[in-house]
Amino acid sequence: MNFSAAADEAISFLHDFHRVFGGPADFAPYDEAYISFLRKVILGCFFVGVLSFSLLLCIAGRRIMSVAMPASARATPSYASYTRMRRSANQGSNDIFAVILLGFTALSALGGLLAEAQVDYSVHRVSHSMHNVSHTFHSLHSIGYNVSAVATGVRANADDMLLSFNDTLPQNATQLSIEAMRLVHITRELANATSALPKDLKHMGNDWEEKYFWMKSSTNGIILTMTLSCFLAISAIGWSMSSTLRLAIFLILVVIPSSHGLFGIYLSKSIEAADFCVAPVANTLALFPNDTATFQFFVECPANTTLYGPTMAAFRASLADASATEAYLQSFAKTLPEETRKRLQVGYLDPIGDQLDSLASLATSFGVESACAPIAASHKDVVETWCTNGVLGLLTLWVHQVALCMMLFLSVIALVSVFEEVRAKEERVEMQYHLLSTYEEDNIEHLYMSPE
């Protein structure tokens, strides 16, 4: 299949990326080694997030908690507070840099919502396609069951007819019973084959879509929490509220492990999607190891072939012979006395004819439902959508999560660095209640701090 140049580059990069770390080379969704590797990727990224969280928590705790909090707004400030205020007034402020960084981080976090659109569309297309295939399989299963039931009815009527009109019917009337018996065996085989078709495709699609929904919801929760924290920190810096800034810092700290965990999830999902897209047809069959022949027929759609070809050929041949025998008996019945003819036709031949017509109609429906061309075309379209929009969307979300983790780290460092300045500005306002200004003869201002 032909994908876009960007998608081909992304697939090649992600498929080769995990080989550097000793990951499996091929897509193997049921292989324990493959699953274990993807799980290790997620846990490794989450472990990095926990380490970052611990490091930043130590830094933030030392720098923030060491600053004493006054009991009330009217509490008398200490001399250390006064010294910190004067030092802050003399030092250059990093407030502008911190506000710019926080604003950029908040906008970048919200930008991740746009990257989800591609993956949302791809996931919906895949789920919708699985629902359609599931509906087709359920229809085939229903047809197989109905064909078997009708064939059993044909045999019962044919046997009863032979017993009731044994002396009246011609010699070849037994051929109808023989063909009815063949139809019973063939349709049972067909019913068993259709009942073996996967019945959980719809459930698989819903389950896969639900897993993505929770992953997306977690991402949105982290994005919104981070955005709220950034705007809260900007407000705290602007209005010099150290308590609010302290809350914003710890909100960002809480997000860091989860953000790294999502970084690992998006990386593992991107790798898995890229591995699938290297050979989408073969990997689609690998998803259903117990039904390879059936899915191979629908996905590859070989020319001049039908589903369960030998069985359906035998069914149509036996049905044609039974219909020919039934038509001959209808003609023969016209030569019988009126009362006998009515009993034979109304009681047996007409019901058998209706049942044979029903079998022919079901055979036609089976041919329509089991046509592989629509499913093969849908599979190709869905694969192209997933391996283009889906892979690029997952890669974009992964890169976005990488940038987000870095900006989270820098944001905490920046907020911790400006916390002391924000606290000093807050204390400057408090200090106004405790400063006395007097002017003496030399017109020099003297500042007196009230005693502690």
Side-chain angles (χ1 to χ4, degrees):
M1 296 183 182
N2 296 323
F3 308 129
S4 65
D8 286 335
E9 290 294 332
I11 292 170
S12 177
F13 167 74
L14 290 169
H15 181 64
D16 296 334
F17 177 76
H18 65 86
R19 293 184 180 180
V20 178
F21 304 99
D26 299 321
F27 178 76
Y30 303 110
D31 184 18
E32 285 298 327
Y34 189 79
I35 297 173
S36 176
F37 168 75
L38 296 178
R39 189 181 296 115
K40 288 178 181 178
V41 170
I42 299 174
L43 293 177
C45 294
F46 181 74
F47 181 70
V48 172
V50 172
L51 287 180
S52 301
F53 169 77
S54 303
L55 175 63
L56 292 175
L57 184 62
C58 292
I59 296 174
R62 181 176 179 83
R63 293 294 300 272
I64 295 176
M65 293 304 178
S66 61
V67 179
M69 297 176 61
S72 66
R74 295 286 182 174
T76 304
S78 63
Y79 181 76
S81 300
Y82 178 71
T83 304
R84 186 165 54 246
M85 179 196 73
R86 297 298 299 269
R87 185 173 67 245
S88 174
N90 295 329
Q91 289 180 344
S93 176
N94 295 323
D95 294 2
I96 297 178
F97 169 75
V99 168
I100 292 175
L101 177 61
L102 290 170
F104 182 74
T105 302
L107 294 178
S108 300
L110 291 175
L113 299 176
L114 300 177
E116 293 177 356
Q118 286 182 304
V119 185
D120 284 344
Y121 174 72
S122 303
V123 169
H124 177 72
R125 287 294 304 275
V126 173
S127 178
H128 182 69
S129 175
M130 295 180 74
H131 283 207
N132 289 340
V133 175
S134 178
H135 176 73
T136 299
F137 286 172
H138 279 288
S139 298
L140 292 175
H141 173 66
S142 177
I143 291 173
Y145 175 80
N146 291 333
V147 164
S148 179
V150 173
T152 302
V154 172
R155 182 182 180 183
N157 286 332
D159 291 344
D160 288 345
M161 182 184 67
L162 289 178
L163 291 175
S164 301
F165 297 90
N166 187 30
D167 298 333
T168 306
L169 296 175
Q171 291 293 330
N172 59 352
T174 56
Q175 186 66 29
L176 181 60
S177 180
I178 294 174
E179 295 301 335
M181 183 176 61
R182 288 177 180 171
L183 285 174
V184 169
H185 289 292
I186 294 172
T187 54
R188 282 181 181 174
E189 181 181 351
L190 181 63
N192 292 334
T194 55
S195 64
L197 292 172
K199 301 179 179 63
D200 58 345
L201 280 181
K202 184 176 180 179
H203 174 71
M204 289 176 60
N206 291 335
D207 184 61
W208 190 53
E209 197 168 14
E210 183 180 357
K211 288 180 179 178
Y212 172 72
F213 170 78
W214 286 113
M215 183 174 67
K216 183 181 72 172
S217 299
S218 301
T219 304
N220 293 343
I222 289 177
I223 288 175
L224 295 178
T225 302
M226 183 175 175
T227 304
L228 174 64
S229 302
C230 290
F231 287 134
L232 192 64
I234 292 173
S235 302
I237 293 174
W239 285 311
S240 301
M241 297 182 295
S242 61
S243 299
T244 305
L245 183 59
R246 185 182 288 109
L247 174 62
I249 292 174
F250 282 105
L251 280 177
I252 295 177
L253 283 173
V254 170
V255 169
I256 287 178
S258 301
S259 182
H260 281 76
L262 279 176
F263 161 71
I265 291 175
Y266 281 125
L267 176 58
S268 66
K269 294 299 181 183
S270 299
I271 291 174
E272 190 175 14
D275 290 344
F276 171 83
C277 293
V278 170
V281 174
N283 290 329
T284 299
L285 302 181
L287 289 171
F288 307 96
N290 298 326
D291 304 281
T292 303
T294 301
F295 280 94
Q296 186 174 12
F297 167 78
F298 282 107
V299 172
E300 297 181 357
C301 195
N304 300 322
T305 57
T306 57
L307 183 64
Y308 311 131
T311 302
M312 291 304 299
F315 172 75
R316 289 190 174 91
S318 183
L319 179 61
D321 292 341
S323 298
T325 304
E326 186 269 339
Y328 171 77
L329 292 177
Q330 287 281 9
S331 300
F332 175 79
K334 295 178 181 179
T335 64
L336 298 175
E338 184 66 18
E339 183 178 352
T340 305
R341 181 188 66 80
K342 287 184 178 180
R343 285 197 305 116
L344 178 61
Q345 286 186 328
V346 175
Y348 296 101
L349 291 179
D350 289 346
I352 290 175
D354 293 339
Q355 289 171 329
L356 293 177
D357 291 340
S358 177
L359 288 177
S361 177
L362 289 172
T364 302
S365 299
F366 183 87
V368 173
E369 292 291 338
S370 63
C372 62
I375 294 181
S378 175
H379 174 265
K380 181 179 179 181
D381 184 53
V382 168
V383 166
E384 289 179 353
T385 301
W386 174 249
C387 293
T388 302
N389 296 327
V391 171
L392 291 178
L394 287 172
L395 180 62
T396 302
L397 287 172
W398 172 52
V399 174
H400 173 264
Q401 206 67 28
V402 173
L404 209 58
C405 292
M406 295 176 61
M407 286 187 290
L408 279 171
F409 189 89
L410 294 176
S411 297
V412 173
I413 297 297
L415 289 177
V416 170
S417 66
V418 302
F419 179 81
E420 191 171 346
E421 297 178 12
V422 172
R423 179 64 184 145
K425 290 180 182 179
E426 186 180 30
E427 289 174 346
R428 185 182 298 120
V429 177
E430 298 171 359
M431 196 73 69
Q432 293 176 358
Y433 297 100
H434 306 283
L435 294 178
L436 299 175
S437 299
T438 60
Y439 293 89
E440 297 184 352
E441 295 178 356
D442 54 359
N443 200 26
I444 298 177
E445 180 183 12
H446 295 273
L447 302 179
Y448 298 90
M449 291 189 62
S450 59
E452 294 182 340

